[in-house]
Amino acid sequence: MHHFLRHATTPLLLAITLLSHTSTQATNHATNQATNQATNHATTQVTNPATSRLTQQATRSVDLVLALDVSSSMSGLIDSAKQRLWDVVNEFNQAQPQPDLRVALISYGNPHYGKGGGYVRIDQALTRDLDAVNQALFGFKTNGGDEYVARVITRASNELQWSAQRDALRVLFIAGNESATQDPQFDLHQAINVAREKDIIVNTIFCGKDGHGGVPTSWRTVAQHAGGVYASIDQQQSAVANVVAPQDKQLRELNAKLNNTYVPFGHTGEQRRENQRRQDSNAVTMSEQAMAARAVTKASKMYRSADWDLVDAVEAGVKLKEVDAKTLPAPMRDMNEQERTTYVKQKAEQRRSLRAKIQQLGSARADHLAAERARTAPSETRGFSAAMKQGLRAIAEKKGFTF
């Protein structure tokens, strides 16, 4: 191990994170189970014709896995992730080719997870259901423990169902503040080789003061040898940094109207709609800015609901007449076929109009935030959000994405 570290060289500076389930537990459950219970039992997304058809369009797979240290000193990091998830997703809004984004969450460093698994837990498997990801994230709690980075890399590489698309972007982001070489059983170099064999890039975020030698070098070395990028951040600074934009309030109001255009169907439709609204509430508890960023995500192609919402499902190719009437929302059950078609069409038109307004406001908001960050650059660039977004873009551009 020491021989491995002595030959480490300094990598790119920047990074990112974000954001389950072991492969043996991935059993095609699409429902979000109660409020924050997703941290105990990860769920996966059910495949249906609508979802499959969407992924057949001109997209490129992006698998984004966020592994967060949840030991007792990392509350600032956790709050930052809750605050910034939607900002990170929005970084892909203008990317070409269009990303087919899936996100997974891993937490590590909690003694209750058990020694046998290296104190690592896969909280959310790779999924397109961003509400499920946010639900799992809001269940994260800090607790003191040992942080085994090699175990995180090994389990993420072997237990998550990564995209099989040849040119997919597969990225694992690990954030923590202790040495990356602590695992007494798993060799870090071997863990990195497992990731490289599966074309998984490992980016690292060290939550502490940067430097050469010691703990920062161990994190820098992981990124260097795993083809990724490294960054150091001030987790407390990034937890509180919020820039108010004049568009935030209106975006929250438009988001409430957008919710009314969703038409749940299927056996999990109502549960998924309720979870959508719970995640709105979670964003609001963090800040008005977090809710505004979430609204922008929901108006983008990154936010997909075709497996529970009729508007998205019909747009994706589902035949309304083939949907079991018993699984339709109450207002539609007594309608005839033409009335149902008209109802869904009206909801779709309302959604297109609202999305256009949100996207316009989101663009103006992005310009405002960019100007503010340029003005406060010495402080902001040390933050979690900046590290995430800059690192994402750097890795994506290497894979051929343009922004």
Side-chain angles (χ1 to χ4, degrees):
M1 181 68 69
H2 295 294
H3 179 268
F4 169 59
L5 287 176
R6 282 201 305 270
H7 288 79
T9 55
T10 303
L12 306 164
L13 181 63
L14 305 167
I16 159 177
T17 170
L18 249 255
L19 338 32
S20 277
H21 216 29
T22 65
S23 59
T24 57
Q25 291 176 323
T27 55
N28 292 332
H29 288 89
T31 59
N32 290 302
Q33 303 173 1
T35 327
N36 285 328
Q37 292 179 347
T39 54
N40 297 323
H41 300 286
T43 59
T44 54
Q45 197 173 24
V46 170
T47 301
N48 73 6
T51 305
S52 298
R53 182 160 178 163
L54 278 171
T55 58
Q56 289 170 5
Q57 298 173 3
T59 62
R60 182 180 298 175
S61 294
V62 175
D63 285 349
L64 179 63
V65 180
L66 174 62
L68 298 179
D69 178 354
V70 294
S71 60
S72 55
S73 60
M74 302 305 291
S75 58
L77 174 68
I78 305 305
D79 286 345
S80 295
K82 293 175 181 178
Q83 187 79 255
R84 304 303 186 188
L85 171 62
W86 307 109
D87 284 325
V88 172
V89 174
N90 291 339
E91 191 71 9
F92 276 116
N93 281 347
Q94 303 303 319
Q96 291 297 328
Q98 180 187 328
D100 175 21
L101 178 66
R102 299 191 304 165
V103 180
L105 281 179
I106 296 174
S107 56
Y108 71 103
N110 187 325
H112 295 303
Y113 295 171
K115 184 177 180 180
Y119 310 113
V120 175
R121 186 172 71 183
I122 299 177
D123 299 274
Q124 174 59 58
L126 283 161
T127 180
R128 297 179 181 87
D129 184 355
L130 299 178
D131 290 337
V133 174
N134 201 58
Q135 178 179 341
L137 181 59
F138 270 78
F140 277 18
K141 306 294 182 184
T142 57
N143 199 340
D146 295 316
E147 302 99 278
Y148 296 162
V149 172
R151 201 74 57 99
V152 172
I153 298 172
T154 301
R155 292 192 59 185
S157 299
N158 291 333
E159 297 177 25
L160 291 173
Q161 297 180 348
W162 297 86
S163 171
Q165 191 179 74
R166 185 177 57 82
D167 58 352
L169 174 60
R170 307 172 189 86
V171 190
L172 167 62
F173 300 97
I174 310 178
N177 69 339
E178 297 293 341
S179 173
T181 63
Q182 291 189 96
D183 197 320
Q185 296 181 350
F186 281 59
D187 181 77
L188 186 58
H189 201 171
Q190 291 179 359
I192 292 172
N193 286 340
V194 171
R196 289 179 66 93
E197 288 171 1
K198 299 186 177 185
D199 196 24
I200 299 168
I201 297 167
V202 182
N203 287 7
T204 59
I205 295 181
F206 172 57
C207 303
K209 186 176 181 180
D210 196 14
H212 296 283
V215 175
T217 292
S218 69
W219 287 89
R220 187 181 291 111
T221 298
V222 172
Q224 172 70 25
H225 287 261
V229 297
Y230 159 87
S232 63
I233 66 167
D234 178 348
Q235 62 162 318
Q236 300 301 331
Q237 185 274 339
S238 59
V240 299
N242 263 323
V243 179
V244 177
Q247 299 82 11
D248 289 347
K249 181 179 179 181
Q250 191 174 355
L251 283 167
R252 176 169 55 82
E253 294 169 349
L254 289 173
N255 175 75
K257 295 179 180 179
L258 184 67
N259 283 349
N260 292 330
T261 70
Y262 284 85
V263 183
F265 77 104
H267 298 296
T268 66
E270 285 292 345
Q271 296 176 28
R272 299 284 289 277
R273 178 169 69 172
E274 286 306 308
N275 193 46
Q276 179 190 61
R277 293 176 177 179
R278 277 197 300 271
Q279 301 323 309
D280 282 354
S281 297
N282 278 337
V284 170
T285 63
M286 297 306 298
S287 68
E288 184 100 351
Q289 294 72 41
M291 184 62 249
R294 174 170 162 81
V296 173
T297 298
K298 289 169 67 176
S300 75
K301 293 180 179 180
M302 298 297 101
Y303 191 84
R304 294 177 175 177
S305 307
D307 50 357
W308 67 268
D309 164 57
L310 273 176
V311 174
D312 279 356
V314 169
E315 183 180 348
V318 167
K319 303 297 183 184
L320 186 56
K321 62 182 180 181
E322 296 176 1
V323 176
D324 185 353
K326 295 178 182 179
T327 70
L328 293 174
M332 293 185 67
R333 290 172 195 163
D334 294 330
M335 296 179 183
N336 60 37
E337 185 178 330
Q338 183 56 50
E339 288 171 334
R340 289 171 181 170
T341 299
T342 300
Y343 182 81
V344 173
K345 183 178 180 181
Q346 289 173 343
K347 292 292 186 182
E349 290 172 350
Q350 293 170 12
R351 188 178 300 178
R352 279 193 291 272
S353 175
L354 288 166
R355 280 181 167 176
K357 293 176 181 178
I358 292 173
Q359 288 168 3
Q360 185 176 16
L361 284 170
S363 179
R365 179 177 184 269
D367 290 342
H368 176 83
L369 295 180
E372 285 298 302
R373 285 170 182 146
R375 188 173 62 84
T376 60
S379 166
E380 175 67 14
T381 52
R382 294 198 309 270
F384 182 71
S385 177
M388 287 178 0
K389 292 189 290 184
Q390 292 168 358
L392 259 183
R393 184 170 290 223
I395 291 299
E397 288 176 343
K398 286 184 178 180
K399 275 284 188 176
F401 286 92
T402 58
F403 293 83

